[in-house]
Amino acid sequence: MSNNKPMPVPTEISAPFWEGLKAQRLLIQQCNACEHWVFYPRRHCPQCLAHDLSWREVSGGATLYSFTVARIATLPDFADEMPQKLAVIELDEGVRINTTLVGLEEDQIRIGMRLKPVFAEVDAKGTRLLRFTGPDQDSSALQRYNGTPQAQMPEQGEAASVRLVAMDDDVALQSLVSETFSPWSNQIVIDQALIDAFAALSGDDYWIHTDPQRARKDSPFGGTIAHGALVQVLQSRLKLALGYEITGFSTMVNYGSDRLRFPAPVPAGSRVHARARVKQVARVKRGTQLTLEVNTHVVGSDRPSVINDLVILYM
């Protein structure tokens, strides 16, 4: 989840609504003069114009008034939420609220369906946004913040068998060379906090990486992006199921890269994964040299963000 997504800024008038969401309570205003329910927050009743409104908790029971499915992100920061189910819901009290539907597939959504609130935690600071889901969905699971630094893919049955290849078996080594890539690795979220930590460590604090406000305005990517070197370094945290294991060596070292390119940006908050293939194997004076082409992609993108021809020396 991106740290660059625009977040609500509570005002003097609207603060009780946002504070209520933090406490997992839905508070809306009601006019004390005519009992009309009011949303969005304001100083006066739009029905009778009285300046006498009170905040009251409601159940959040609602019906779906209208919706649309957005498939293209308006900002790169929202790419991890595509497709978004944007909706207008009508609370049982009669007020309508713009929101997002979560936990529902497109074929489950129907105008007039019953909905219940989800107090979705969207960052590590405890900020919550009001979303809605179907009455049979587990709203507690939908409201948990999932922006952890690393997300492992679920296990798919038993671990695949690994082929053992001796470092001096030329025929077996050459048989590893392939145009076919391995399955996708686990996924990692590269959020703004991780980018900022790398900037502090490397000294590369260029605004396109570290200044979300300016990047939204001036960057061609619509927000901050990760350093290419950061994405490359994180390849060591991506677990590749290569299907083989080299044996018979005493030492294995990273000998460098034959080719390193950054074809596509990684917007802050993106989830990345990788796949790889053996590109070349050669016997050299010091041992066996294997070139592994590792391609790291933003999840859902066909174009790699990093292409690294990693050279591994087995001695």
Side-chain angles (χ1 to χ4, degrees):
M1 178 172 291
S2 170
N3 287 3
N4 285 349
K5 292 177 183 177
M7 289 295 172
V9 179
T11 65
E12 181 184 355
I13 299 174
S14 67
F17 174 78
W18 300 112
E19 291 301 318
L21 294 189
K22 283 187 178 181
Q24 301 183 48
R25 302 169 62 208
L26 179 52
L27 303 178
I28 61 174
Q29 292 172 303
Q30 187 178 32
C31 178
N32 293 320
C34 71
E35 299 186 346
H36 182 71
W37 290 97
V38 178
F39 191 88
Y40 55 92
R42 63 197 88 181
R43 294 188 185 279
H44 68 276
C45 172
Q47 182 81 6
C48 70
L49 304 182
H51 286 249
D52 187 14
L53 303 179
S54 296
W55 289 93
R56 295 191 169 94
E57 184 174 3
V58 297
S59 69
T63 56
L64 180 60
Y65 181 78
S66 68
F67 77 99
T68 187
V69 178
R71 304 185 190 280
I72 299 176
T74 53
L75 289 173
D77 311 276
F78 291 97
D80 61 323
E81 295 187 23
M82 293 299 110
Q84 282 183 314
K85 290 87 171 180
L86 307 175
V88 178
I89 62 92
E90 184 169 287
L91 291 179
D92 292 343
E93 289 72 20
V95 299
R96 294 173 185 167
I97 298 177
N98 294 324
T99 186
T100 303
L101 302 179
V102 292
L104 295 170
E105 299 298 329
E106 291 180 39
D107 59 4
Q108 295 178 287
I109 303 173
R110 297 287 185 274
I111 298 297
M113 69 182 292
R114 292 295 294 171
L115 298 168
K116 64 181 179 181
V118 175
F119 302 100
E121 190 175 31
V122 295
D123 61 24
K125 300 176 183 177
T127 304
R128 292 185 185 270
L129 298 180
L130 179 62
R131 294 169 176 166
F132 283 81
T133 191
D136 298 328
Q137 302 301 314
D138 182 1
S139 57
S140 62
L142 294 170
Q143 68 189 22
R144 289 194 291 267
Y145 176 56
N146 294 318
T148 51
Q150 180 170 346
Q152 297 287 345
M153 296 293 286
E155 296 293 335
Q156 301 290 332
E158 296 183 1
S161 59
V162 175
R163 178 186 174 192
L164 302 180
V165 178
M167 65 170 286
D168 57 358
D169 187 338
D170 292 337
V171 174
L173 288 168
Q174 291 302 323
S175 71
L176 298 177
V177 177
S178 175
E179 295 294 326
T180 302
F181 283 89
S182 70
W184 290 108
S185 71
N186 60 304
Q187 299 177 12
I188 295 175
V189 176
I190 304 181
D191 60 15
Q192 190 62 51
L194 186 59
I195 294 170
D196 290 343
F198 184 82
L201 180 66
S202 65
D204 182 357
D205 59 356
Y206 187 50
W207 64 265
I208 204 168
H209 304 302
T210 60
D211 189 338
Q213 185 174 0
R214 180 177 176 184
R216 288 194 197 104
K217 181 176 65 174
D218 296 338
S219 169
F221 309 114
T224 54
I225 60 173
H227 308 71
L230 169 59
V231 184
Q232 178 201 357
V233 168
L234 289 175
Q235 287 178 343
S236 62
R237 289 173 53 186
L238 297 171
K239 310 304 180 185
L240 296 165
L242 298 174
Y244 69 86
E245 181 180 337
I246 306 299
T247 64
F249 61 90
S250 59
T251 305
M252 176 183 68
V253 296
N254 179 345
Y255 198 57
S257 296
D258 272 349
R259 182 177 69 152
L260 178 61
R261 297 178 61 192
F262 307 111
V266 176
S270 296
R271 195 177 293 273
V272 299
H273 57 175
R275 57 185 180 176
R277 69 181 181 95
V278 178
K279 191 172 184 178
Q280 184 180 21
V281 180
R283 296 292 297 277
V284 296
K285 184 176 180 180
R286 300 182 65 186
T288 296
Q289 186 171 288
L290 182 146
T291 302
L292 187 68
E293 180 184 341
V294 183
N295 287 1
T296 301
H297 296 239
V298 171
V299 173
S301 175
D302 292 331
R303 189 178 186 187
S305 294
V306 176
I307 301 174
N308 184 14
D309 285 3
L310 178 64
V311 181
I312 304 169
L313 180 61
Y314 298 90
M315 299 182 289

